[in-house]
Amino acid sequence: MNIDSLKELLRENGIVGAGGAGFPTYAKLDKKADTIILNCAECEPLLRLHRQVLKMYTNEILSTLYEISKILEVSTVYIGIKGSYKRTLAAVENEISSFNNMKICKLPEVYPAGDEVVLTYEATGRVVPAGSIPISVGVVVLNVETVYNIYRAMQGEPVTHKFVTVTGEVKNPVTLYAPIGLSVEKLIEAAGGVTIEDPAYVLGGPMMGKLGSPLDVVTKTSNAVLVFPKTLPLVQKKLSKTSIDIKRAMSACCQCSYCTSLCPRNLLGHPIDPGAFMLAAANNSTTNTAPFLNAMFCSGCGLCEMYSCTQGLSPRSLLQATKKGLQKQGVKAPAVKAEKVEEFRDMRMIPLSRLRSRLGLDPYNCSAPVSEEPIKFKKLNILLSQHIGAPAVPVVKKGDKVLSGQMIASAADKALSVAIHSPVNGTVTEVNKSKITISV
């Protein structure tokens, strides 16, 4: 297999980044790479599925990584994993000697170790330029479940299911292998149901996840469903409004600059400066546009507002709102000169245990074992846009009978896109611009 045939395989089998925004994986593969990093940092509190999957399918994942490394002709493959993941680490150590180009990179127990810019620096010492991606320094970063999906694609099996951790205020915290399109409601039922009244649902990790509802559905990028009381401070943060956040910043920001001094991207020399941004935003100052334009370099990790700010303000939310507004107006990130990595960076990284405690999540830090029990459901609402780029194009119509693994939407022609496949045998009951519904 060469790189072109591998890319086509991934495109047709619907492979996207399973641990982040869903960038189509075929577009990440590049002969300019000399290094591949397997991302098993899983730095968000409470999430466990990546270490679970790597432990369960160690040989399959490492063998697939080795195959990819030969196709891309890279010299080194790093397995980025935290030393605290002892069982998974032992499984990797037991297999890795079979592959002559692989090394284990033990990551610190900090947040956000899984940010691909941070991970690239930890594994290789290379700094990804601000506004760029790891391939700019010769690195391809692949998530654990993404590589597992590539393994399955090489066996002729497209992406139809997703590992999802369901935890928090549920009776039986669990990691499920759920079909794409399954409702959050069915996931929670499979975890024994909620244990509190009127809960909040966070889809994704506590730091970067979004508030959702039981009607939301599993996509190729779903990692977790977290059930919390609405009174939990992190939930209240996610409920806040930009108009209120800016007024609070105007009244309470004391310019301590902790948000800047603890910012992971700033520590790597990127020009993102939450403290300068808050000063400019709070005073409605546009004399110097740099703080606003540099919002484009915010990764959205959330440390500034969930951990650093002594006043409980929301730098990340305001930065992201600014970034979104600039992008909507067609403004591109400014060209900037690289700065040096902060000399005391190691002393400013945030321990995951301290973050978890600060967020009030210690009571929910429990095992969520993988369950092989089938999930009962009657229909799936499969979204056509589950990845960065153009939505998939339906190739089925209402009334069609489909089989498990059958393509139901093709990758958009001449665009960044991937195909979508049916997770079940069933009947197509609806097709519209946003989804395909399959009943069983």
Side-chain angles (χ1 to χ4, degrees):
M1 186 180 292
N2 59 34
I3 187 169
D4 291 332
S5 58
L6 176 58
K7 284 186 173 185
E8 185 62 20
L9 178 76
L10 303 190
R11 191 170 191 265
E12 291 302 304
N13 282 276
I15 312 293
V16 302
F23 192 79
T25 305
Y26 74 89
K28 297 181 74 170
L29 304 183
D30 197 310
K31 285 279 188 142
K32 291 187 293 186
D34 60 32
T35 302
I36 294 174
I37 304 175
L38 180 71
N39 188 349
C40 190
E42 199 159 37
C43 56
E44 282 264 21
L46 308 184
L47 272 59
R48 283 177 164 74
L49 71 90
H50 298 144
R51 72 191 86 164
Q52 292 169 328
V53 172
L54 183 54
K55 179 179 178 294
M56 291 168 61
Y57 303 105
T58 311
N59 184 264
E60 292 88 340
I61 290 170
L62 297 189
S63 296
T64 303
L65 272 175
Y66 185 74
E67 179 70 16
I68 297 169
S69 75
K70 292 307 177 186
I71 294 170
L72 297 186
E73 299 177 356
V74 306
S75 57
T76 308
V77 178
Y78 289 102
I79 311 301
I81 183 172
K82 291 180 178 176
S84 60
Y85 302 166
K86 296 187 183 301
R87 293 181 180 178
T88 304
L89 186 58
V92 172
E93 289 173 336
N94 190 51
E95 296 279 356
I96 200 168
S97 60
S98 301
F99 308 97
N100 59 18
N101 63 351
M102 291 190 185
K103 300 177 182 179
I104 292 174
C105 173
K106 291 185 181 179
L107 303 170
E109 190 73 9
V110 299
Y111 177 86
D115 174 355
E116 64 178 12
V117 172
V118 173
L119 178 60
T120 296
Y121 181 76
E122 292 292 336
T124 69
R126 304 173 193 175
V127 177
V128 177
S132 191
I133 56 178
I135 192 60
S136 66
V137 292
V139 176
V140 171
V141 179
L142 298 172
N143 167 270
V144 167
E145 191 176 358
T146 303
V147 178
Y148 175 65
N149 287 338
I150 295 173
Y151 162 76
R152 289 174 59 88
M154 288 179 171
Q155 314 307 310
E157 300 175 13
V159 176
T160 57
H161 287 65
K162 183 72 180 67
F163 285 98
V164 184
T165 296
V166 185
T167 191
E169 294 288 355
V170 294
K171 291 181 181 178
N172 303 306
V174 66
T175 297
L176 301 165
Y177 194 49
I180 303 299
L182 186 72
S183 69
V184 167
E185 180 181 30
K186 292 299 180 182
L187 287 176
I188 293 171
E189 285 179 10
V194 300
T195 57
I196 58 174
E197 293 184 5
D198 194 27
Y201 303 93
V202 176
L203 309 182
M207 295 292 284
M208 298 182 72
K210 309 294 183 183
L211 289 176
S213 80
L215 299 179
D216 284 302
V217 300
V218 175
T219 70
K220 295 179 182 181
T221 62
S222 298
N223 280 327
V225 174
L226 309 177
V227 183
F228 294 136
K230 286 184 177 176
T231 53
L232 196 68
L234 76 84
V235 173
Q236 291 299 306
K237 276 286 185 187
K238 294 179 188 296
L239 287 169
S240 66
K241 296 181 179 180
T242 302
S243 58
I244 301 299
D245 289 339
I246 191 65
K247 290 178 180 178
R248 294 184 66 243
M250 293 171 69
S251 65
C253 181
C254 64
Q255 279 297 294
C256 66
S257 294
Y258 286 160
C259 54
T260 297
S261 63
L262 299 180
C263 172
R265 293 290 180 93
N266 182 277
L267 292 172
L268 287 174
H270 289 203
I272 176 66
D273 188 338
F277 170 83
M278 291 294 278
L279 178 63
N283 289 282
N284 197 25
S285 172
T286 56
T287 304
N288 178 13
T289 61
F292 298 99
L293 292 175
N294 288 341
M296 301 290 281
F297 302 115
C298 175
S299 68
C301 75
L303 270 181
C304 53
E305 70 182 34
M306 295 291 199
Y307 185 91
S308 305
C309 185
T310 58
Q311 305 291 347
L313 304 179
S314 304
R316 186 264 303 270
S317 297
L318 294 173
L319 282 162
Q320 290 293 301
T322 300
K323 182 177 180 178
K324 185 176 180 180
L326 290 171
Q327 290 173 333
K328 189 175 181 180
Q329 294 300 317
V331 178
K332 295 183 178 180
V336 293
K337 192 174 181 180
E339 300 291 338
K340 291 183 179 179
V341 174
E342 168 60 46
E343 181 181 0
F344 300 108
R345 174 178 176 270
D346 289 351
M347 300 179 187
R348 295 185 183 176
M349 294 193 292
I350 306 304
L352 190 59
S353 58
R354 183 69 186 123
L355 175 63
R356 191 170 56 237
S357 177
R358 181 77 65 88
L359 295 175
L361 298 178
D362 282 337
Y364 307 115
N365 187 35
C366 59
S367 174
V370 176
S371 171
E372 297 182 359
E373 288 291 321
I375 304 171
K376 296 179 180 180
F377 60 91
K378 293 183 178 179
K379 71 175 182 178
L380 301 173
N381 288 311
I382 302 169
L383 302 184
L384 295 171
S385 183
Q386 300 185 38
H387 52 265
I388 289 176
V393 180
V395 294
V396 293
K397 61 183 184 301
K398 184 176 179 180
D400 285 353
K401 302 291 185 181
V402 295
L403 300 176
S404 177
Q406 178 181 332
M407 183 186 294
I408 57 174
S410 64
D413 189 35
K414 298 179 182 180
L416 183 66
S417 186
V418 297
I420 296 175
H421 304 76
S422 174
V424 293
N425 299 335
T427 303
V428 176
T429 54
E430 182 181 0
V431 178
N432 60 36
K433 292 181 179 180
S434 64
K435 68 179 180 180
I436 296 173
T437 301
I438 298 176
S439 296
V440 298

